Amino acid sequence: AIAQGGHALNSFRLYNRNERISGEARDLLLTLDEWLNAEVASLPPRAGGVVIGIDLGGSASMTAAAFYWPETGRLETLGWFPSMPSLLNRGATDGVGNRYVEMQDAGELDTLGDKTVPVSDWLAAVMRHVQGETVTAMLADRYKSSELGEAMDRAGVKVPVIWRGFGFRDGGEDVERFRRAVFDGRVRATPSLLMRSALADAVCLRDPAGNAKLAKARSKGRIDAASAAVIAVAEGARQTARPAREARFAWA
């Protein structure tokens, strides 16, 4: 099964070894083994500029942010839920047991607000996580540009914003750049239950031309951390691929 890889390996681990991994047969964003290759015991340093990918959820969805340093490949992900209902009750509703409580104990998940996550307070928390760092870009869903733009003004967030779509046009490029970065060893993250859980529910739907976009494998799956990581890493890959501009001098 290891030699065959892919779905054959996933099926063997799930049905023969009874491991707690996804048995989804559709095109996964990344298999468990592909992501485990990106996990390291100690993260590389925060060096260079940081790219922030954000995914704003609603009252039921998770709100997530991913922080990626293209120079070193360091990736950090955080998630937020409203405080009502409790994380234990929310996990029971989503069919994941006490997984959200374990994420909170690990410092990967937190609660903010009551029934919904207040966007301006959340953005302030996101920026505090990288206080003192140079933010080269913030990536967000263009369909929520109005809500996020107003919240950025209230929170006083002054960083370059790039609006991306999660459809086939932008999604196809971002998904492939994210996968390529992981395969090439340009993504390094600590063992994260938040990311493992998100990747287990993240599948790719493809149009007739082969372009991919992210989707949930199940209706109550929470893929927000994976969505934020995809757009952050993809933008980091674009920044790295751009040639360095030489200084130009204007003669009087």
Side-chain angles (χ1 to χ4, degrees):
I2 292 175
Q4 290 178 326
H7 180 58
L9 179 57
N10 278 350
S11 298
F12 184 86
R13 299 182 70 168
L14 176 64
Y15 298 115
N16 294 77
R17 293 174 54 86
N18 295 323
E19 295 185 19
R20 295 175 59 186
I21 66 171
S22 174
E24 177 61 48
R26 283 184 288 176
D27 190 7
L28 288 170
L29 175 63
L30 288 175
T31 66
L32 174 64
D33 295 275
E34 290 168 347
W35 174 250
L36 289 179
N37 290 330
E39 291 187 346
V40 293
S42 59
L43 285 173
R46 290 181 170 186
V50 58
V51 180
I52 304 176
I54 59 176
D55 190 344
L56 176 62
S59 58
S61 300
M62 182 188 294
T63 296
F67 310 88
Y68 180 62
W69 283 261
E71 185 173 320
T72 61
R74 179 184 180 121
L75 177 67
E76 302 175 12
T77 52
L78 297 174
W80 289 263
F81 270 126
S83 59
M84 298 175 60
S86 67
L87 292 179
L88 187 60
N89 291 337
R90 192 182 294 273
T93 302
D94 291 350
V96 295
N98 65 340
R99 186 183 300 174
Y100 297 148
V101 177
E102 293 178 7
M103 293 178 188
Q104 186 181 40
D105 293 340
E108 301 173 325
L109 183 65
D110 201 357
T111 57
L112 188 63
D114 295 328
K115 296 292 184 67
T116 61
V117 174
V119 185
S120 58
D121 294 343
W122 166 65
L123 284 173
V126 168
M127 297 307 297
R128 283 196 300 270
H129 185 72
V130 289
Q131 188 173 7
E133 300 291 325
T134 301
V135 179
T136 57
M138 177 179 285
L139 286 291
D141 187 354
R142 68 164 58 97
Y143 287 105
K144 298 182 179 179
S145 59
S146 177
E147 183 179 6
L148 284 171
E150 295 170 358
M152 288 178 183
D153 292 337
R154 289 196 300 270
V157 177
K158 304 296 183 182
V159 296
V161 180
I162 301 175
W163 303 106
R164 299 293 289 176
F166 283 87
F168 290 113
R169 180 178 179 180
D170 291 345
E173 176 190 346
D174 291 344
V175 164
E176 291 307 318
R177 284 186 181 272
F178 175 77
R179 281 175 162 171
R180 191 178 299 118
V182 172
F183 296 155
D184 291 344
R186 296 199 300 269
V187 176
R188 290 288 180 262
T190 55
S192 168
L193 181 58
L194 176 67
M195 273 299 291
R196 291 180 184 181
S197 179
L199 290 171
D201 286 325
V203 297
C204 295
L205 303 180
R206 294 190 178 273
D207 65 3
N211 300 308
K213 70 173 182 178
L214 277 180
K216 297 179 180 179
R218 58 190 185 92
S219 60
K220 294 184 179 180
R222 306 297 172 213
I223 65 171
D224 307 84
S227 300
V230 164
I231 57 177
V233 173
E235 175 59 24
R238 283 189 290 269
Q239 292 181 4
T240 304
R242 295 187 188 112
R245 294 183 178 180
E246 297 182 359
R248 296 181 179 180
F249 297 91
W251 299 94

